[in-house]
Amino acid sequence: MKSQLHFFLAIVLLLSVSSCIRLGSPQQTTIKATSTLRLENKSSDWLFARGDKGMGVSTEKGLPDELAGTLLWTHEIQGGGVPVVAGGKVYQFGYYGSGEQVEESLTCLDLKSGELIWDQRRQDFISDIVYDRYGVGSACVDPQSGNVYFQTSAGELLAYATDGSLLWERSLMEEFSRLTFPNGRTGGPCVDEGLVILHAITANWGTNGPARDRFYAFDKENGDLVWTSTPGTTPKDSSFAPLVFENLEDGRRVFYSGTGCGHVVCVDARTGQPLWRFKMSHGGVNAGVVVHEDLVIAVHGKENIDSSRIGRMVGIRKPFKVPVLGESILELDRQNEAWRNDELESFTSSPVIYKDRVYTTVKKGELFCNNARSGETNWTLKLSPDQIHAAPVWADGKLYVPMFDGQVSVVKDLGSEAKLLSQLDLGSACLAPPSVAHGRILIQSKKKLYCFGQDIKAKPFRKKEVDESPSSDKIASLQIVPSEFALPAGKEMNFRVFALDSAGYRIKQLGDGLSWEKWIPPTAKVKAELDGNLSTKGPGNLIASPQAKLSAGAIRASYQGLHGVARGRILPVLPYEENFENGYKLTQQASDGVPFSYPPLPWLGARMRWQVQDLDGERLAGNTLDRVLFQRAMNFVGHWQASNYIVEMDAKVDGNRRIKSTIGVVNQRYIFALVGNSNKLEVVSNYDRFQRSVPFPIEANKWYRLKTQIDLQENGSGLLRAKAWPRDEPEPEAWTLEESHAQPHKRGAPGIYALSPQSKKKVYFDNLSIYPKP
């Protein structure tokens, strides 16, 4: 009887501790205990790129010391992504084909056999990605629903059900002016509570116009934007560092990540409030961080801020208190360093932590083991000539370590030294860490996905419940969803307003008692309002009439003395024209001394790239040359789901016989451009995917008229048409360029494109016209 009572008390204690873990236990006093218990109670799934806790650790047992001889299956998908596993399904973000046939894919495979269940493929469009640098990222699985989310290299954020049906999608490039870079790295989104969170460098509009590394949180059910966060400064690189989450003592949920401006940041995961940042390097921080008790441990591979040495690992001591709502971000500095180790140079390989030992692969191809409390190096092991991107995983007392040369090593930590248990050459570069689930180790090489381990039955996917009960009924803030929007004329937008407690939990959705107003922030440089009818009481509703004009602005909801703000744009029904003659006062002074006015506020990505000015007696738009980041400029003036329209405008390039600039338009995810240096008219979707051109003589400082359209054919192909002619001459009947594209883009936002090589020669445009095809 006594033994039964002891057994019952043990079960009650275990359930109590498990409940505490699920709700978020105190950070400082119980983290060591909860770390062990969380690992013991994790499922066999691998839902995120770095595992359940985001730190590269698995609780799987019975894993092989040697991978050779345990290969279960392979699947020929290319890329550098991390496979994720939910029950008996593997989801991999990668790509198929090469050259013009490249298609990125979310591929669903059977975990036991490797057989294809379904795949969803997407094409690249108007990105800067070169060669075949695709699929360097990861999908993620929602623990509550099993739905899958991923971001393509061109910036499409996609949500799929387990059967492969599309739930919702967003186009980050065309909605938020997300920038792309030649390396194609995207990282991946993650799901936390009710949100899908990712980060990217964007140059949006208004206060978000300057290019910054921003975090975006979308409602996982419908894709509405919940919040945007800008915790960093001007970026030097793109960053695709993963996010690591943690509960604080006060009940708040936060995440840590690196940014393209060289910081490690801490952000409130429920509200997006930036809490603190720590400057590490002069370049981007791309490796993920790990958390150990009161430390956030981070590593980078760029120049340090206080020396010319490259690379460093730092133990950052968390601040005792973080800002409350309305307070400014904390700037941490050297005083917050618990330790530093200058031996490590790791640009993109994320560390792994198990107990008090941190494992990291570095640029020179070595595996480091460091003490998490002191930063001291316990041992190093040379595994390959060099290393980039890939990271280790800790599982079953071993480290599985893919390397850039294609070797996968299995390593045992013996305390003061390491033992190499085995190595296996996969034949092509490994750019991603493994994932471990259901007795299997999955590793992606550049050419193929491999599954090693035990041929055992996977446990069914179990939906996890998350308790999101508010800590109190006292309302601390309001949250309007969507927090940013683009509303076409003739449509309406319904808003949801949530009352949040001090920890960011949603207490309830508000309706009665709300008041609404169009609002101009006191700090706004452009005083503008939305051209729509906003409800003044009750649930929020904004109606844009069919005659509504292009406009941008903010709305504010008030409730019991609290306020919430959302911002948005209204996009007019076509036709739309802009000749810069009305409403522009040249009160600004450019760095080159030219008086100018800012371009239309609702144009995405335009404020920092274009300036309305006078030239030779004409009012027009010219690009800025004082930011090398924007020597290539692309901005959007319409909705990302637009189609079947014509874009025309007057265009002129500056230059001489040695160097001339490029000017063009964006039409349905194609760039049509007058390329001054090459004297040609070209159409391009991505320069390594689809590019066609015809000769066309281009004189510097001479005006041309450019006209473009896309016609979808009955056989499914697209006919891409453009014509250009001197502006003072009649329009020719024949198209200058006509090209067929077998897999055409069927929609996309109209926009303007420019390229000033090395930011030396300007471009100009005027009399922009966008109208439906007849």
Side-chain angles (χ1 to χ4, degrees):
M1 183 71 179
K2 187 180 292 185
S3 61
Q4 291 177 336
L5 178 62
H6 287 167
F7 176 77
F8 174 77
L9 290 175
I11 292 297
V12 171
L13 179 61
L14 180 59
L15 290 175
S16 175
V17 173
S18 299
S19 176
C20 180
I21 293 165
R22 187 167 57 250
L23 294 173
S25 51
Q27 173 188 1
Q28 303 295 335
T29 58
T30 60
I31 192 166
K32 290 182 179 179
T34 58
S35 295
T36 303
L37 286 168
R38 281 184 177 182
L39 286 173
E40 289 175 354
N41 287 281
K42 286 200 312 183
S43 73
S44 294
D45 291 325
W46 191 272
L47 306 182
F48 305 98
R50 300 293 288 146
D52 283 2
K53 292 186 67 180
M55 288 186 265
V57 175
S58 169
T59 55
E60 288 293 303
K61 300 295 183 182
L63 300 176
D65 292 350
E66 295 187 18
L67 296 180
T70 69
L71 180 63
L72 299 176
W73 52 262
T74 65
H75 180 76
E76 293 191 4
I77 185 171
Q78 304 169 90
V82 186
V84 292
V85 181
K89 292 181 177 180
V90 180
Y91 300 98
Q92 179 63 322
F93 170 44
Y95 71 95
Y96 299 98
S98 62
E100 290 191 8
Q101 282 70 49
V102 162
E103 291 181 301
E104 285 194 302
S105 174
L106 176 64
T107 297
C108 177
L109 304 170
D110 182 88
L111 177 61
K112 183 173 179 61
S113 65
E115 293 181 359
L116 178 67
I117 300 175
W118 53 260
D119 65 12
Q120 294 289 352
R121 303 191 183 193
R122 294 277 172 147
Q123 287 184 292
D124 187 14
F125 58 91
I126 52 179
S127 79
D128 292 320
I129 299 167
V130 297
Y131 311 122
D132 287 341
R133 292 175 173 173
Y134 292 97
V136 185
S138 175
C140 63
V141 179
D142 177 21
Q144 281 76 56
S145 66
N147 295 334
V148 191
Y149 307 87
F150 82 111
Q151 178 190 184
T152 69
S153 297
E156 294 175 289
L157 178 61
L158 303 164
Y160 287 98
T162 56
D163 63 0
S165 58
L166 181 67
L167 299 174
W168 53 262
E169 62 181 312
R170 304 296 299 258
S171 178
L172 306 181
M173 182 192 298
E174 296 165 296
E175 293 187 81
F176 307 104
S177 197
R178 172 190 179 269
L179 305 185
T180 62
F181 297 89
N183 54 43
R185 299 188 295 258
T186 60
C190 57
V191 184
D192 191 66
E193 296 181 348
L195 303 176
V196 179
I197 306 175
L198 56 80
H199 69 145
I201 294 179
T202 63
N204 201 351
W205 65 273
T207 55
N208 287 346
R212 294 290 186 271
D213 198 333
R214 295 186 172 91
F215 295 85
Y216 292 85
F218 299 87
D219 187 308
K220 70 180 184 182
E221 300 297 334
N222 57 24
D224 283 347
L225 183 65
V226 176
W227 55 253
T228 302
S229 180
T230 312
T233 55
T234 304
K236 298 297 177 68
D237 301 310
S238 61
S239 174
F240 60 105
L243 279 57
V244 174
F245 292 83
E246 184 179 41
N247 293 322
L248 302 184
E249 285 184 325
D250 61 1
R252 297 171 80 178
R253 180 78 167 165
V254 302
F255 66 79
Y256 309 99
S257 185
T259 65
C261 54
H263 287 91
V264 172
V265 299
C266 175
V267 176
D268 189 303
R270 298 186 183 115
T271 67
Q273 180 185 359
L275 300 178
W276 58 258
R277 65 187 178 207
F278 175 85
K279 181 75 170 177
M280 284 191 72
S281 72
H282 289 299
V285 178
N286 279 281
V289 305
V290 292
V291 180
H292 181 68
E293 298 177 352
D294 63 335
L295 299 180
V296 175
I297 300 170
V299 66
H300 73 86
K302 294 289 188 175
E303 183 179 349
N304 289 298
I305 60 171
D306 54 6
S307 76
S308 59
R309 190 182 181 102
I310 304 297
R312 176 179 290 165
M313 180 177 276
V314 178
I316 307 165
R317 192 177 292 110
K318 304 172 194 172
F320 181 71
K321 295 180 67 176
V322 296
V324 297
L325 185 69
E327 291 184 343
S328 299
I329 188 171
L330 292 177
E331 297 277 359
L332 306 190
D333 54 25
R334 181 69 186 271
Q335 295 181 355
N336 295 90
E337 286 190 24
W339 52 262
R340 60 168 58 178
N341 188 323
D342 286 347
E343 293 183 273
L344 291 89
E345 180 184 346
S346 182
F347 176 49
T348 55
S349 182
S350 299
V352 169
I353 187 166
Y354 182 73
K355 294 185 177 178
D356 62 350
R357 298 170 86 81
V358 181
Y359 305 95
T360 314
T361 53
V362 300
K363 181 180 178 180
K364 295 180 180 179
E366 297 171 303
L367 175 64
F368 270 71
C369 173
N370 293 84
N371 183 287
R373 291 305 314 168
S374 67
E376 295 178 353
T377 299
N378 297 316
W379 50 257
T380 63
L381 180 65
K382 183 74 170 178
L383 294 177
S384 74
D386 57 0
Q387 174 70 319
I388 187 170
H389 298 332
V393 159
W394 192 99
D396 194 22
K398 300 176 280 287
L399 290 153
Y400 293 89
V401 194
M403 303 298 286
F404 187 60
D405 65 352
Q407 295 278 352
V408 181
S409 301
V410 184
V411 177
K412 183 81 172 178
D413 182 355
L414 300 180
S416 60
E417 62 179 350
K419 180 180 180 181
L420 179 62
L421 299 180
S422 65
Q423 281 189 316
L424 179 65
D425 188 353
L426 298 186
S428 63
C430 294
L431 302 178
S435 54
V436 180
H438 302 282
R440 297 164 172 86
I441 303 119
L442 293 105
I443 304 172
Q444 175 73 51
S445 76
K446 184 66 177 169
K447 297 180 179 179
K448 192 179 297 186
L449 175 63
Y450 294 82
C451 180
F452 300 95
Q454 306 174 65
D455 187 12
I456 58 176
K457 185 177 181 180
K459 299 176 183 178
F461 173 73
R462 280 188 159 184
K463 297 180 180 180
K464 298 181 181 179
E465 294 184 3
V466 171
D467 189 339
E468 296 187 19
S469 302
S471 57
S472 72
D473 292 331
K474 185 176 180 180
I475 301 174
S477 64
L478 305 183
Q479 186 177 72
I480 304 179
V481 180
S483 60
E484 184 173 334
F485 57 89
L487 178 63
K491 303 291 184 180
E492 64 179 287
M493 174 71 66
N494 295 313
F495 299 95
R496 294 176 292 158
V497 180
F498 297 96
L500 308 184
D501 69 7
S502 59
Y505 277 118
R506 292 178 175 178
I507 300 173
K508 60 181 177 179
Q509 183 174 340
L510 301 175
D512 295 337
L514 283 169
S515 62
W516 295 84
E517 62 182 323
K518 296 179 184 179
W519 189 63
I520 300 177
T523 57
K525 293 183 178 180
V526 180
K527 310 300 182 182
E529 289 188 354
L530 291 159
D531 185 18
N533 298 315
L534 178 65
S535 59
T536 59
K537 299 291 183 181
N541 177 261
L542 177 66
I543 300 175
S545 72
Q547 294 76 37
K549 297 179 181 179
L550 180 72
S551 57
I555 61 172
R556 187 167 75 164
S558 300
Y559 182 82
Q560 297 182 357
L562 298 174
H563 308 288
V565 176
R567 57 182 232 142
R569 301 174 297 137
I570 291 178
L571 306 177
V573 174
L574 299 182
Y576 169 73
E577 296 181 350
E578 180 58 74
N579 59 17
F580 307 110
E581 294 300 327
N582 299 312
Y584 297 94
K585 297 180 180 180
L586 310 186
T587 57
Q588 307 294 321
Q589 192 79 13
S591 59
D592 55 5
V594 174
F596 77 96
S597 174
Y598 290 112
L601 181 63
W603 285 11
L604 285 186
R607 182 180 179 85
M608 310 302 291
R609 293 178 168 98
W610 296 100
Q611 52 195 26
V612 179
Q613 63 180 80
D614 284 334
L615 181 69
D616 299 330
E618 286 190 78
R619 184 65 59 85
L620 45 77
N623 65 331
T624 58
L625 298 182
D626 54 351
R627 296 174 179 86
V628 176
L629 181 64
F630 292 149
Q631 63 178 309
R632 178 186 183 273
M634 182 164 56
N635 64 281
F636 301 98
V637 300
H639 201 278
W640 68 278
Q641 292 180 317
S643 61
N644 298 314
Y645 56 83
I646 294 172
V647 183
E648 290 191 47
M649 77 176 186
D650 297 340
K652 180 168 70 170
V653 302
D654 192 6
N656 51 48
R657 64 184 182 86
R658 292 186 177 182
I659 181 172
K660 286 182 286 190
S661 43
T662 296
I663 179 68
V665 301
V666 180
N667 187 328
Q668 214 163 291
R669 296 183 174 175
Y670 295 94
I671 297 169
F672 295 86
L674 294 167
V675 184
N677 276 346
S678 304
N679 286 303
K680 64 184 181 182
L681 173 62
E682 75 173 5
V683 58
V684 58
S685 180
N686 170 284
Y687 284 98
D688 282 356
R689 306 283 80 77
F690 181 87
Q691 180 184 16
R692 303 286 189 274
S693 64
V694 294
F696 185 83
I698 301 169
E699 295 181 29
N701 300 307
K702 179 177 179 177
W703 282 106
Y704 296 91
R705 186 70 178 170
L706 179 62
K707 180 178 180 179
T708 68
Q709 73 179 56
I710 292 99
D711 297 318
L712 299 180
Q713 307 297 293
E714 291 184 0
N715 63 2
S717 67
L719 184 59
L720 318 179
R721 291 171 165 168
K723 62 174 69 173
W725 66 95
R727 184 176 67 173
D728 55 2
E729 296 180 6
E731 176 183 345
E733 290 188 11
W735 293 95
T736 313
L737 177 149
E738 288 188 283
E739 293 290 345
S740 179
H741 192 186
Q743 294 180 293
H745 304 304
K746 298 180 181 180
R747 63 185 178 184
I752 300 100
Y753 173 85
L755 174 63
S756 294
Q758 302 172 24
S759 289
K760 288 185 176 181
K761 300 299 179 182
K762 293 190 71 165
V763 301
Y764 305 94
F765 74 92
D766 197 1
N767 299 313
L768 174 68
S769 178
I770 307 167
Y771 55 94
K773 288 184 348 187

